[in-house]
Amino acid sequence: MLRQALRRFSQKLVRRPTLKEPVAENDPRRSLSTLNLVALGVGSTVGVGVYVLVGEVAASQAGPSIVICFLAAGLSSMLAALCYAEISARVPHSGSAYLYSHVTIGELWAFITGWNFILSYVAGTAIVIQAGTLAFDILLGNQNSHTLHESITQQVPRVLVEHPNFFVVSLVYFLIELQTLRFSQSFMVTKVITSVKLLVLGFVIISGFIKGDLHNWKLTEKDFLKAGLNGTSTLGHMGSGGFAPFGFKGILRGAAACFYAFIGFDNIVTRVEEAQNPQRSIPMSIVISLFICFFVYFGVSVALTLMVPYYQFQRGSTLPEAFLHIGWAPAYYVVAFGFLCSLLANVLGFMVPIRQVIYKMAQDDFLFPALARVQTGTCTPLMANVIFGIIAPIMAFFFGLTDLLDLSSIGILLTHSLVAICVLICRYQPERRNWGNEAEMQEENGPAAERLTLQGLLFPCSPTPTPLSGWVVRVCSSLLALLLTLLCLVLAQWPVLLSGDPLWISVVVVLLVLIIGITGVIWRQPQSSSPLPCKVPALPLLPLLSIFVNVYLMMQMTGGTWAQFSVWMLIGFAVYLAYGIQYSLFT
């Protein structure tokens, strides 16, 4: 009895849905061209992060080597983008990583993916609220928070005094209402805002190369003394100077934080059913938009660290303040206006995917049905908007900027890792017309009809994927995910490894041997030959590399971030076990 109960429970955890036929190619709803999708991706990705993240990371984590941090975060995002490009071509339905994990690895991982997606985008919106306060302060001559602080100090708790974001919260609610407009109207607003902020950031990059000083990448203790500073000044610990003042550890920590700046390109896959020729336009727009975002971030970080010595940044420093340092006061307000445009674009970009994921999870009965209620006339999820509009401001009031950056990054890093696993599994599965329960039953019966042998494992007889080879890849992928996580945990203790401790080195060698061996088993399995406009090259290496990089960046998060993330996940598992697993649509 216990065995049967455990079997039924485990089968529930890996249930997969049957998808409907995708929207027809000639459907009038398919109105988005590749250019429109690129504008959507860039508008959702390039946002307030670049205005506050550069100063935050350069001041306390990386210094001028923030350019390497953006390079590492960009490479990790590009690996994830390639995985999104293939899976979106293989499963041409709207729904982002939540849907892909649901039809590939089952409902438990789909719930984890969706739950982390919600965390990342709500935390991202809370960051926008905090950054919006800085933008309004800049435009009002830094008098907003000072005046508000003096007037309400005696009436409200201290925590509210320290975070006077009331004006920006009101703006967020206005933007939520704006999203109830027809899509064509709100999308036009997004395109205009995206154009403005790209022009402003282009101006920042050009200014940096005009007014920059390469000596700011080669600062020494003499420069600190000349500026009247020392290693423990009021600006905080300044590291050792040079290009990487906080060392390799600072670069790794900065790369993990900079990953937040690339959140948003996956919004493109939420528009699959509105895209013209989605199997081609979606992959192309993902890759193109991410390249544009990377070059913008790289250029801005180079320009800013050349214009301003990194030790002059303080926590909360913003991009416009660099122009005060070089004496370009009018440019200060121009860049601040771009800052405000980025604020608007980010909120608009975050709302659609998070609303869609909450609505879809509620439709699948993972979340409460009330969250799937739509507003009459506009067909927008009403309760999803309400929940989103409540949680994001609360997080903005009670969490610090660094905490929010880390929470947003850790959630999306886990989501990207699951998408990479989905690509790895999908490429080695038998051809199927549709995803879901019917194919799942065939797979469950398939391996019993075939016989698993060591020779068949390394030298499969069939040139095309079979149910048995697909099952082997599923098992091997799960083992690799576990081994890569263990390897990242060990490598996170790299100072101990560099000391030559034989125990830790032996553990690393054993893990590497196991990873290489299991990867070889996957490599020997037959791949799907179905033609796709975009495929991840060098399978299975690139998806595994994506998982490794994502998990290793997650290991750079602080203990406090992991504690906060654990609380969020415990709440999610409580919801899933108490409600979702019992009332799921696929019960």
Side-chain angles (χ1 to χ4, degrees), residues 207-250:
S207 302
F209 286 102
I210 293 173
K211 298 292 291 185
D213 183 358
L214 195 58
H215 180 70
N216 289 331
W217 282 11
K218 300 180 287 185
L219 297 172
T220 63
E221 188 175 345
K222 292 181 180 179
D223 296 294
F224 300 152
L225 294 174
K226 186 183 298 185
L229 303 171
N230 55 45
T232 56
S233 71
T234 55
L235 292 177
H237 183 63
M238 297 177 298
S240 58
F243 182 71
F246 301 96
F248 184 63
K249 185 176 182 180

Side-chain angles (χ1 to χ4, degrees), residues 511-533:
L511 288 173
L512 286 175
V513 169
L514 291 173
I515 290 170
I516 293 172
I518 297 175
T519 302
V521 172
I522 294 180
W523 176 66
R524 294 297 303 163
Q525 305 309 307
Q527 292 188 26
S528 170
S529 59
S530 59
L532 290 175

Side-chain angles (χ1 to χ4, degrees), residues 31-77:
S31 58
L32 298 182
S33 64
T34 302
L35 182 60
N36 288 335
L37 293 169
V38 170
L40 176 65
V42 174
S44 301
T45 306
V46 176
V48 298
V50 72
Y51 286 88
V52 296
L53 195 60
V54 177
E56 186 83 11
V57 174
S60 60
Q61 296 174 2
S65 62
I66 188 175
V67 296
I68 299 179
C69 298
F70 273 115
L71 178 62
L75 289 175
S76 173
S77 298

